[in-house]
Amino acid sequence: LKTNFEKQLKNKLSQKTKAGVGEETLLLRSFRFFDVLSKGLIAKDCFVKTFEKIGIVFGPEDANILFTLYDTDQDGLIDYAEFTNTLYGKMPKQSPSKDSPKKQEAKLELDILSKVKRKLKAKGLFTFMRFLLDKDTDKIGKIKEQDLYDVLQECKLDLEEREAENLFQILDKNRTGQIDYRQFIKTILGNVSKFRTDLIENAFALLDMNHNELVAVEYAKSIYNAGRHPAVLEGKKTEQDVLDEFLETYDTNHEFFVGKTKNLYSTCLLYTSD
């Protein structure tokens, strides 16, 4: 399995390389795309997503076997620079030991992010985004530490106080006392492919008839079809419920979607369209 996987991986990378970009660089870029904490370490879910991005898909059983083979110290994290060097027969740099501060910190942060991600998907991202928007009274795309705690409680994400504190520290990398909540969503749920970003940008452009980064609410209502929404199909919500939820997510003045929320609109829709 390992031999076949590595052969297939090299073939895929060889096919995808462009002038001036080698296979190793391409592989490292693919890993970094999913390394939202920029730690140089990656957990199993992102390990699998990296190879899916390259074009290799394997089932859960094979994924578990391969990850275990490469996770030499069995701590649930792989140093992807070491993985790349080993794949291409280079002497790998010494990887942080299982008990090193770097790995312990990364594992703690990834555990917290994973927990928040699971709870967010269960509770609903739209609701969470509405609470964040409400806290952003200055409409600058940022919230303070207490605001984050309040939102976590209002959404009943049930994080322990210490976990909530650690979450804010993870997100407030520059120690400004504020976090960009759009970056927060990106950190929690990972990067978005260029294909999906372009898709949403094109969708917004179609709605923005006057090309002024404003979308008329009434126009959005007229073309938004909630009939195929999973909650509607399951009988949990009416089409009107879903439409109201959709509209409430964005900062409106009763006539328009405000243009500066375009990126927030894109981010939210990107992550809730799966």
Side-chain angles (χ1 to χ4, degrees):
L1 176 64
K2 181 179 179 182
T3 302
N4 289 337
F5 162 67
E6 292 184 353
K7 181 179 179 180
Q8 185 182 10
L9 176 58
K10 288 181 178 180
N11 286 338
K12 288 287 186 181
L13 291 169
S14 177
Q15 294 168 11
K16 290 177 175 289
T17 52
K18 299 178 181 179
V21 179
E23 295 176 21
E24 296 168 57
T25 300
L26 182 60
L27 179 56
L28 288 170
R29 286 180 180 177
S30 299
F31 276 122
R32 291 188 187 113
F33 184 83
F34 295 102
D35 179 15
V36 293
L37 296 177
S38 301
K39 297 287 187 181
L41 301 166
I42 205 158
K44 187 176 71 174
D45 60 336
C46 291
F47 177 81
V48 172
K49 288 178 182 178
T50 296
F51 299 119
E52 288 178 348
K53 179 177 173 63
I54 293 171
I56 300 175
V57 179
F58 29 66
E61 184 176 349
D62 286 348
N64 288 333
I65 293 172
L66 285 170
F67 188 83
T68 301
L69 288 172
Y70 294 112
D71 181 16
T72 52
D73 55 10
Q74 304 301 301
D75 65 350
L77 295 171
I78 288 176
D79 183 320
Y80 53 79
E82 179 184 13
F83 172 91
T84 303
N85 285 332
T86 302
L87 180 68
Y88 285 95
K90 295 183 177 180
M91 182 66 69
K93 296 179 181 179
Q94 186 174 2
S95 178
S97 67
K98 181 177 181 178
D99 297 322
S100 70
K102 179 181 178 181
K103 276 208 168 183
Q104 290 295 317
E105 179 184 21
K107 196 164 190 320
L108 173 65
E109 293 182 2
L110 287 170
D111 285 346
I112 293 173
L113 293 177
S114 179
K115 183 175 182 178
V116 173
K117 181 177 180 178
R118 289 195 307 272
K119 288 180 176 291
L120 268 181
K121 286 194 170 183
K123 298 288 185 179
L125 185 59
F126 270 23
T127 300
F128 186 71
M129 294 298 290
R130 284 206 303 273
F131 280 124
L132 289 174
L133 282 167
D134 289 343
K135 292 296 182 183
D136 180 19
T137 54
D138 295 327
K139 307 306 177 189
I140 59 174
K142 296 181 179 181
I143 59 172
K144 297 179 180 179
E145 187 171 4
Q146 186 59 51
D147 295 329
L148 177 62
Y149 295 161
D150 291 344
V151 170
L152 292 173
Q153 289 183 341
E154 288 166 349
C155 289
K156 296 180 172 57
L157 294 191
D158 301 324
L159 288 186
E160 297 177 4
E161 183 176 349
R162 182 58 181 166
E163 290 177 321
E165 291 174 359
N166 286 337
L167 176 62
F168 190 86
Q169 293 302 313
I170 293 169
L171 301 170
D172 183 21
K173 295 179 180 178
N174 297 322
R175 302 297 181 257
T176 63
Q178 291 183 315
I179 60 170
D180 183 324
Y181 51 79
R182 290 160 295 192
Q183 184 64 34
F184 169 54
I185 296 298
K186 179 181 176 182
T187 301
I188 292 294
L189 299 180
N191 286 303
V192 180
S193 69
K194 185 178 184 302
F195 172 79
R196 295 189 73 192
T197 302
D198 289 346
L199 183 66
I200 297 302
E201 290 295 331
N202 290 336
F204 190 92
L206 291 174
L207 294 172
D208 182 14
M209 294 183 297
N210 296 321
H211 307 293
N212 58 358
E213 294 200 349
L214 295 174
V215 176
V217 171
E218 288 304 316
Y219 178 58
K221 283 182 180 179
S222 70
I223 63 172
Y224 183 78
N225 181 4
R228 300 296 297 172
H229 191 282
V232 175
L233 294 176
E234 294 172 8
K236 295 179 179 178
K237 295 180 180 179
T238 66
E239 291 187 38
Q240 187 62 48
D241 290 337
V242 172
L243 177 61
D244 291 343
E245 186 177 65
F246 173 74
L247 295 175
E248 288 172 8
T249 304
Y250 309 110
D251 184 17
T252 69
N253 62 1
H254 304 296
E255 295 181 9
F256 296 103
F257 287 136
V258 179
K260 69 181 178 182
T261 64
K262 173 182 172 183
N263 289 333
L264 178 59
Y265 160 84
S266 300
T267 300
C268 196
L269 190 53
L270 280 164
Y271 286 124
T272 55
S273 59
D274 284 337

